[in-house]
Amino acid sequence: MRAVYNAIMAHLLDLGPVHEDAVGVGVFLKRDHKLAEVRPRSRDVSLALYLPRRVNHPRISRVLGNSASRVVHLLLLREADDVDEQVRDWLTEAFLHASV
């Protein structure tokens, strides 16, 4: 699970500074606003992405909330290779939106 987290952070840190807030359930990743939550589970990692729009994609396991400014999308990642170009694109979008 650590490899998944490291892959997420490697991409985000290439974009700029990110605050890591370790909490009991995982790690909240922030800029001016929260951009993602990383929560370890028994067999995978749950990544919640805070995006400015609703995304319909087979890799998204759930969509939570639908506010005017942010929509939370849940993805389940099992290994570092799951943090592929598509996930990195969503991370970039969340990163940019978190500093608006």
Side-chain angles (χ1 to χ4, degrees), residues 10-11 14-15 21 26 28 37 39 41-42 44 46-47 51 55 59 65-66 72 74 77-78 85-87 91 94-95:
H11 177 69
D14 280 345
L15 300 173
D21 188 9
F28 294 171
E37 296 178 13
R39 298 178 184 232
R41 299 172 4 130
S42 60
D44 55 26
S46 173
L47 173 64
L51 299 173
V55 174
R59 293 188 65 189
N66 198 4
V72 181
L74 297 178
L77 308 171
R78 291 185 175 261
E85 184 176 349
Q86 179 64 71
V87 174
L91 284 165
F95 178 89

Side-chain angles (χ1 to χ4, degrees), residues 67-92:
S67 76
S69 62
R70 299 191 312 170
V71 181
V72 181
H73 299 77
L74 297 178
L75 293 101
L76 302 177
L77 308 171
R78 291 185 175 261
E79 55 191 46
D81 287 344
D82 290 342
V83 185
D84 60 7
E85 184 176 349
Q86 179 64 71
V87 174
R88 289 190 302 271
D89 286 347
W90 289 328
L91 284 165
T92 299

